[in-house]
């Protein structure tokens, strides 16, 4: 059984009050803080870089789960590690731009957990060469770039495939995760849930995180168990 973790995506936060928003979701029970870094090239949106991550690190009490939607994670590796990333996740779709194995090893050599993310239209088999060296796989259940999109259930078999393939790390899902979608993700074997709109848009964030956690815990792995 992998630990169920709720990771609110700060993309949905009020950036004019970022420190307060971090404290708010941490007090509400967030396990990780999911930081959506976008370069305006790998994805059409442009968000923030290491400078903001460093500012968040000063006030955060929970791990920083950095999701790099950028074309060149090799170039910015040290900047994000120095800024305080606790998890460093980049996309398999940029693999042709550099030595993935060397990147994985160099991040882990600094004691930081490393992950790879896959877009909805990327076959999960693309991760095979690196699976044993990953701490986490981030399955996109929307096309990366923007919050508030509709959950894509067609990606769910990727989680089941990973568990069946013997992947023992964390499986995270990102995009459109909320009260009506989290149970099916957990049933497929997902144990880390990125939720932006569902958490930051909730009138009571603690109640929402508790509700998400309960729904995920109750459903975790049941699809694999054939329940
Ligand atoms: C999209 C981001 C997601 C997104 C989640 O590229 O990676 O983390 O912010 O947003 P919601 O939970 O609002 O669908
Ligand atoms: Zn994300």
């Amino acid at each position: 059984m992998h630990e169920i973790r709720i990771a609110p995506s700060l993309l949905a936060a009020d950036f004019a009050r970022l420190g307060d928003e971090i404290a708010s979701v941490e007090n509400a029970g967030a396990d990780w803080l999911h930081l959506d870094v976008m370069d305006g090239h790998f994805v059409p949106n442009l968000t923030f870089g290491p400078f903001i991550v460093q500012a968040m690190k000063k006030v955060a009490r929970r791990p920083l789960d950095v999701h790099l939607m950028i074309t060149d994670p090799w170039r910015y590796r040290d900047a994000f590690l120095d800024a305080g990333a606790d998890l460093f996740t980049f996309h398999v779709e940029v693999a042709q731009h550099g030595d993935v194995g060397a990147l994985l090893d160099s991040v882990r050599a600094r004691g930081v957990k490393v992950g790879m993310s896959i877009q909805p239209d990327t076959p999960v088999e693309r991760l095979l060469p690196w699976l044993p060296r990953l701490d986490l796989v981030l399955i996109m259940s929307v096309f990366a770039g923007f919050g508030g999109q509709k959950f894509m259930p067609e990606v769910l078999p990727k989680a089941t495939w990973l568990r069946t393939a013997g992947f023992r790390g964390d499986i995270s899902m990102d995009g459109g995760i909320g009260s009506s979608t989290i149970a099916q993700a957990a049933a497929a074997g997902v144990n880390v849930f990125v939720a932006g709109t569902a958490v930051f848009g909730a009138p009571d964030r603690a109640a929402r995180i508790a509700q998400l956690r309960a729904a995920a815990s109750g459903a975790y792995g049941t699809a694999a168990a054939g329940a």
Side-chain angles (χ1 to χ4, degrees):
M1 167 77 179
H2 288 78
E3 193 178 338
I4 299 295
R5 293 191 175 93
I6 307 298
S9 163
L10 274 293
L11 190 66
D14 175 356
F15 264 66
R17 300 185 308 107
L18 195 50
D20 295 342
E21 291 282 75
I22 288 172
S24 164
V25 290
E26 289 183 330
N27 294 337
D31 295 295
W32 294 351
L33 300 174
H34 185 86
L35 311 185
D36 285 311
V37 176
M38 302 181 193
D39 64 0
H41 182 259
F42 177 70
V43 291
N45 202 354
L46 183 60
T47 57
F48 52 85
F51 179 69
I52 298 292
V53 173
Q54 194 175 20
M56 292 185 200
K57 188 68 177 183
K58 285 201 193 98
V59 297
R61 287 172 283 138
R62 309 300 300 161
L64 301 186
D65 170 29
V66 178
H67 175 196
L68 298 168
M69 289 161 274
I70 67 176
T71 299
D72 192 349
W74 293 266
R75 178 176 175 190
Y76 296 100
R77 177 198 61 201
D78 291 342
F80 280 105
L81 296 181
D82 294 346
D86 296 287
L87 290 101
F88 179 101
T89 298
F90 61 96
H91 273 259
V92 71
E93 292 86 7
V94 306
Q96 73 274 21
H97 296 311
D99 183 335
V100 170
L103 182 57
L104 296 175
D105 294 344
S106 60
V107 171
R108 298 184 96 186
R110 287 195 46 178
V112 176
K113 287 185 186 289
V114 70
M116 290 179 79
S117 183
I118 48 174
Q119 292 272 44
D121 58 351
T122 299
V124 64
E125 291 80 0
R126 283 275 304 277
L127 292 171
L128 261 179
W130 304 291
L131 269 190
R133 295 152 86 173
L134 297 179
D135 297 300
L136 176 139
V137 169
L138 175 58
I139 299 171
M140 295 305 296
S141 38
V142 296
F143 279 96
F146 300 91
Q149 300 177 74
K150 191 170 177 322
F151 182 76
M152 298 171 66
E154 56 267 42
V155 306
L156 288 171
K158 294 181 177 180
T160 314
W161 183 92
L162 284 166
R163 286 294 181 230
T164 311
F167 181 61
R168 291 283 164 262
D170 284 317
I171 299 179
S172 182
M173 191 160 280
D174 183 356
I177 295 286
S179 308
S180 64
T181 56
I182 193 165
Q184 53 193 302
V190 176
N191 70 290
V192 180
F193 302 91
V194 176
T197 307
V199 172
F200 284 97
D204 181 339
R205 293 173 175 176
R208 175 59 57 79
I209 289 178
Q211 177 209 19
L212 291 173
R213 190 184 308 282
S217 305
Y220 180 72
T222 50

